Amino acid sequence: MCTLVIEVEGLKKKLAELRSYGKKHPPSSPLTIEMCTVQEKLRSIDDKFYKHNCIDPRKPLTISGFPMPLQCEEDVDRLELMVNRNPKIRAQYIEFLRCKKPLSVEISECFGKFFTGEALANFSWRSIKTSEKPRNAMTDYHIFTTCMLEAWEAQVVTGFCFPLSCHEDIERLESTIRINPTVRFQYVRFLASKKPPNETIAACFKLFFTHWSLYNFCLQKTDGPERKKQSMREFKLFTDCMLEAWQSHGLNENKLLTELQIALTAAHESINQCHYKPMILNVWKSASRNRQM
């Protein structure tokens, strides 16, 4: 994500530099061709960004009761009221913001997708005292502040780098989400952003945990060889958080446990292959030498 942002900034500076030479150039001129190349690269980065965040920009999105862009100040006030009162409307609005702003486009450039000029005519960023009618301060509205921050901030979980690479990181994340609501929210949001609705949990599990980080886990404790391993069912990051993140995908507890078992089996099989492959290779080499003798 950070790499894409840095790349976008570099390309936008280059594009601004090229445009500073003037607007009228023949289509076949080197300057025009270079500008087109830069613009194509920016579009390609936007596509990567959408894919990385599981966003389909062509998917029709709606906010119940609010045709976008908002046309008047009354609609802005009404949306602010509903965002504060109705979690469903708030979620729809944030998702609309998230999906309608490409990475390479500034907020100011896409604001017209959300609000018309008439709707914002009586707004300023901060309240300004004049002899005329006082303007509304955008800083007092959640739809201009917290919602936009939530929609467009980087998808991160503070203090953790994914996929988690060891058992200790999983335990640390579990402890953190139990005491820190902010990190829990970030983790749930991270899960939700990485799994498309039509993809299985097992298929995308490697985005969250390496195989080795799951070595000391089992789905449920038994009296067998895995009795010393920890049960995933006792960890909220494997249960409550995943159910919350993917509930809209039709996930329930039974489906989750089935998917976790598939992911865990795949991880253990991969570890076993990595462990035994060198041994098998040595046996095969030894047998080959014996045959040659």
Side-chain angles (χ1 to χ4, degrees):
M1 177 65 178
C2 292
T3 304
L4 291 180
V5 172
I6 294 171
E7 191 174 352
V8 163
E9 291 304 315
L11 289 171
K12 288 171 75 172
K13 286 182 181 179
K14 181 65 176 177
L15 191 60
E17 180 185 337
L18 293 171
R19 285 172 173 167
S20 68
Y21 296 124
K23 294 184 178 180
K24 293 183 179 180
H25 296 280
S28 59
S29 71
L31 190 64
T32 302
I33 293 173
E34 189 173 0
M35 288 176 64
C36 290
T37 301
V38 172
Q39 290 170 334
E40 183 60 35
K41 287 181 179 178
L42 287 171
R43 284 191 289 269
S44 176
I45 290 174
D46 285 334
D47 289 339
K48 289 180 183 177
F49 172 76
Y50 285 138
K51 186 176 181 180
H52 179 77
N53 289 284
C54 302
I55 295 173
D56 181 0
R58 295 174 297 277
K59 179 182 177 181
L61 294 172
T62 58
I63 304 170
S64 301
F66 295 91
M68 301 298 277
L70 300 184
Q71 301 293 318
C72 61
E73 184 179 338
E74 289 73 19
D75 283 344
V76 175
D77 288 334
R78 191 163 56 88
L79 178 59
E80 174 69 13
L81 180 67
M82 293 306 295
V83 159
N84 291 328
R85 286 185 176 180
N86 190 322
K88 181 180 178 181
I89 299 294
R90 187 179 191 278
Q92 289 177 343
Y93 175 60
I94 289 173
E95 183 66 6
F96 189 89
L97 294 174
R98 191 175 78 93
C99 294
K100 296 301 180 181
K101 179 191 172 301
L103 181 64
S104 66
V105 176
E106 297 292 338
I107 295 173
S108 58
E109 296 176 62
C110 62
F111 225 61
K113 297 178 181 179
F114 317 125
F115 311 97
T116 63
E118 184 179 348
L120 299 177
N122 288 320
F123 283 89
S124 61
W125 180 239
R126 297 187 185 277
S127 182
I128 300 175
K129 294 181 180 180
T130 64
S131 57
E132 302 176 2
K133 178 183 176 182
R135 294 192 172 192
N136 298 317
M138 297 174 83
T139 52
D140 294 336
Y141 284 66
H142 285 95
I143 60 172
F144 296 125
T145 53
T146 55
C147 290
M148 290 186 174
L149 283 171
E150 186 173 333
W152 296 325
E153 69 178 344
Q155 297 290 326
V156 296
V157 182
T158 304
F160 296 90
C161 183
F162 287 86
L164 300 183
S165 59
C166 63
H167 183 268
E168 290 74 17
D169 281 345
I170 293 179
E171 289 191 320
R172 187 165 59 87
L173 177 58
E174 176 68 15
S175 299
T176 305
I177 64 174
R178 286 176 179 266
I179 62 175
N180 190 323
T182 299
V183 173
R184 186 186 189 282
F185 170 79
Q186 290 174 341
Y187 175 61
V188 170
R189 185 185 59 191
F190 181 79
L191 292 174
S193 72
K194 297 301 180 185
K195 179 189 168 307
N198 59 346
E199 188 172 50
T200 64
I201 296 172
C204 63
F205 219 61
K206 61 185 178 182
L207 299 175
F208 315 121
F209 312 98
T210 64
H211 290 157
W212 282 106
S213 71
L214 300 170
Y215 180 73
N216 286 320
F217 283 97
C218 61
L219 186 63
Q220 186 168 335
K221 284 189 175 182
T222 64
D223 295 330
E226 295 189 338
R227 63 184 180 277
K228 293 184 179 180
K229 293 189 175 184
Q230 290 182 281
S231 170
M232 297 175 87
R233 299 183 70 166
E234 296 175 0
F235 282 65
K236 291 186 179 295
L237 65 87
F238 291 125
T239 53
D240 295 357
C241 292
M242 290 187 174
L243 284 170
E244 183 177 338
W246 300 321
Q247 187 177 16
S248 63
H249 298 182
L251 184 69
N252 56 40
E253 186 175 356
N254 289 334
K255 288 182 180 178
L256 174 62
L257 294 177
T258 300
E259 288 287 327
L260 288 177
Q261 184 61 69
I262 294 171
L264 199 56
T265 300
H268 289 169
E269 287 178 352
S270 176
I271 292 170
N272 289 336
Q273 288 176 3
C274 292
H275 180 70
Y276 289 113
K277 189 174 181 180
M279 296 173 59
I280 295 171
L281 186 60
N282 288 334
V283 171
W284 180 81
K285 287 181 178 179
S286 178
S288 297
R289 284 196 296 268
N290 291 336
R291 283 197 299 270
Q292 291 173 1
M293 293 173 63

